[in-house]
Amino acid sequence: MRILVVGSGGREHALCWTIAASPLCEELYCAPGNAGIAQDAVCVPVGAEDLDGLIALARDKRIDYVVVGPEGPLVAGLVDRLAEAGIKAFGPSAAAAALEGSKGFMKDLCAKYGIPTAGYRRFTEAAAAKAYLRAQGVPIVVKADGLAAGKGVTVATTLAEAEAAVEAAMEGDAFGAAGSELVIEEFLEGEEASFFALVDGETALPLATAQDHKRVGDGDTGPNTGGMGAYSPAPVLTEARCQEVMERIILPTVRGMKAEGRPYKGVLYAGLMVTPAEVKLLEYNVRFGDPECQVLMMRLMSDLLPALIATTDGVLSSFDLRWYDEAALVVVMAAKGYPGAYEKGSAIRGLGDAAQNDDVMVFHAGTKAGLENEILANGGRVLGVTAIAPAIAEAQARAYRAVDRIDWPEGFCRRDIGWRALGKTGG
Ligand code: AMP
Ligand code: GLY
């Protein structure tokens, strides 16, 4: 098969690395890709948001199957457009991608189908939103309805902060159209974890669990980022908890989406809040997580590609995937300054040295090749140094040993990825 992967981050490098190893894959393209992906796929400079360009590329290269990495093109309808062009693709339709594209839609679906989530209300007027804030008190959570590149959520501990978030979104236009509607919801306490499942419209096949590290600094301090590291599995999601997530969250969602005439096909990524009493849904994403995908792909024993195709074809019920029992952990190396302003173009050395062993893989995110094929930083999150080992403590040690072999003075990483899991398992 001739496969095209859409995207350019660490997630897409992990997907390309995995798909390239599939016996079903004859030719692999990635648009636009990065310097690491170029080792596994032919990179073509078409942006992930350029729907017309992607359709033309898929036609030109006679692509049999497209795998869409990021949420932007999914919410914009890339999979629908490809279907119209007669090209099969992995990922939800625009109507189904509303689970991530509109937080209000997601919350209404939860309310209608009894899926446990934080109590909420939707607003289109700043005055009504503020009156609600005053009536509810703090802590409270203010969310822009649409896609806001991970910046649309404010967990407010003072009323002033909550009101400022409403004003920034609705009056200041901080998120453009994404902020013209808001969801205000109850603050939930607990431990966050992620659960991934493949969904083919009717059936859900659980994949694995993971935990991300959203804050930029050690000890979960500083501003939010796209994710500074992750590990899988998440010890907090025990087998009993995973069963609860399937029965109370994932399966009712699959049935609800079908009943709404928006059958969901693709990977469903549930962001969860785990409390001693129950697991509640914080948010849905309609794609693999980044960097969670990197640890999932390290742990996957089976061939991913047939599972993706079975998802698209609606035949997941006869499908099974095998996983290594081992733990995987990824440390993200970012350009100094990220998630604020950062420089591009610094040289990264020692990558070969870092990934000498089979148990370590350095996935590229924001990289590009220089004139002499040297690797240059080209984004905020730049590398995902990923290791697999029998337990999380060892995976962590392996990942940091590899990080320390990378010579990139302009980069930084958190030094504590995995701390929550290690606290739980006593190291
Ligand atoms: P989201 O983009 O919806 O995942 O939200 C970003 C982050 O905000 C989450 O990872 C949580 O840490 C936090 N968050 C979102 N909703 C809530 C909530 N209802 N209660 C507490 N924290 C939340
Ligand atoms: N790592 C969080 C996300 O992919 O949304």
Side-chain angles (χ1 to χ4, degrees):
M1 292 180 80
R2 301 159 70 87
I3 312 288
L4 169 65
V5 172
V6 175
S8 62
R11 165 182 50 213
E12 287 75 23
H13 189 192
L15 290 172
C16 284
W17 174 72
T18 307
I19 291 169
S22 169
L24 285 180
C25 177
E26 281 167 51
E27 281 184 44
L28 181 60
Y29 295 86
C30 185
N34 62 40
I37 292 174
Q39 293 160 15
D40 296 307
V42 177
C43 293
V44 187
V46 176
E49 311 276 336
D50 176 4
L51 270 49
D52 291 331
L54 291 168
I55 307 277
L57 173 66
R59 283 213 172 105
D60 181 46
K61 301 291 182 197
R62 291 177 291 115
I63 296 297
D64 298 301
Y65 193 60
V66 179
V67 178
V68 185
E71 65 279 13
L74 292 168
V75 171
L78 177 57
V79 169
D80 312 72
R81 292 276 309 275
L82 286 163
E84 284 161 23
I87 301 162
K88 240 202 280 203
F90 177 79
S93 64
L99 276 181
E100 178 168 358
S102 166
K103 292 190 190 293
F105 170 79
M106 178 283 233
K107 300 296 287 191
D108 286 353
L109 187 94
C110 288
K112 187 165 173 186
Y113 294 94
I115 297 159
T117 187
Y120 74 104
R121 273 190 49 195
R122 299 175 74 167
F123 294 94
T124 51
E125 302 289 338
K130 287 189 202 169
Y132 182 71
L133 288 177
R134 283 190 291 274
Q136 293 293 304
V138 289
I140 197 155
V141 184
V142 179
K143 299 184 172 184
D145 183 75
L147 294 184
K151 298 187 183 82
V153 175
T154 304
V155 179
T157 48
T158 65
L159 201 54
E161 220 182 320
E163 289 187 346
V166 169
E167 280 162 19
M170 291 187 138
E171 290 161 6
D173 211 27
F175 310 111
S180 63
E181 184 171 345
L182 294 177
V183 169
I184 298 181
E185 69 179 41
E186 170 198 7
F187 173 79
L188 297 179
E189 262 175 300
E191 185 169 339
E192 276 185 66
S194 308
F195 184 96
F196 296 85
L198 290 177
V199 176
D200 72 355
E202 305 229 3
T203 308
L205 176 67
L207 296 175
T209 61
Q211 261 171 317
D212 190 11
H213 300 63
K214 288 215 165 96
R215 303 297 192 100
V216 74
D218 284 14
D220 288 339
T221 55
N224 264 322
T225 70
M228 294 301 293
Y231 51 84
S232 172
V236 70
L237 287 173
T238 57
E239 228 173 281
R241 260 25 214 321
C242 286
Q243 214 166 349
E244 176 188 341
V245 172
M246 280 300 284
E247 281 164 18
R248 301 199 51 209
I249 297 176
I250 303 288
L251 293 173
T253 300
V254 175
R255 287 192 292 267
M257 291 297 280
K258 190 180 171 208
E260 295 297 310
R262 304 180 189 229
Y264 188 89
K265 288 186 174 189
V267 59
L268 193 53
Y269 158 179
L272 304 169
M273 191 65 96
V274 184
T275 71
E278 68 174 334
V279 184
K280 285 189 175 175
L281 179 68
L282 276 183
E283 60 157 355
Y284 269 133
N285 296 307
V286 298
R287 50 174 172 84
F288 283 105
D290 188 345
E292 293 92 326
C293 187
Q294 290 82 314
V295 284
L296 295 190
M297 292 305 113
M298 281 296 263
R299 292 189 56 220
L300 183 62
M301 188 189 298
S302 304
D303 188 354
L304 176 71
L305 189 53
L308 301 184
I309 295 168
T311 301
T312 304
D313 289 346
V315 295
L316 262 188
S317 59
S318 57
F319 222 87
D320 203 12
L321 283 172
R322 299 190 60 199
W323 299 85
Y324 293 108
D325 274 337
E326 290 158 297
L329 182 141
V330 55
V331 176
V332 169
M333 297 184 77
K336 282 181 184 162
Y338 175 81
Y342 55 82
E343 307 255 322
K344 290 183 180 179
S346 53
I348 304 166
R349 298 185 185 87
L351 288 169
D353 213 20
Q356 279 166 351
N357 299 330
D358 279 354
D359 53 19
V360 173
M361 180 66 204
V362 179
F363 293 112
H364 290 222
T367 65
K368 69 170 189 187
L371 289 175
E372 275 149 38
N373 264 339
E374 73 277 29
I375 302 293
L376 303 177
N378 193 40
R381 293 191 295 172
V382 173
L383 300 170
V385 182
T386 313
I388 186 161
I392 290 182
E394 242 176 289
Q396 184 196 52
R398 281 179 196 180
Y400 280 113
R401 270 202 298 276
V403 164
D404 291 336
R405 290 199 178 113
I406 293 172
D407 174 14
W408 181 35
E410 293 82 2
F412 76 98
C413 66
R414 276 180 65 161
R415 298 297 313 189
D416 65 344
I417 300 304
W419 68 271
R420 227 182 254 284
L422 292 177
K424 218 160 261 132
T425 54

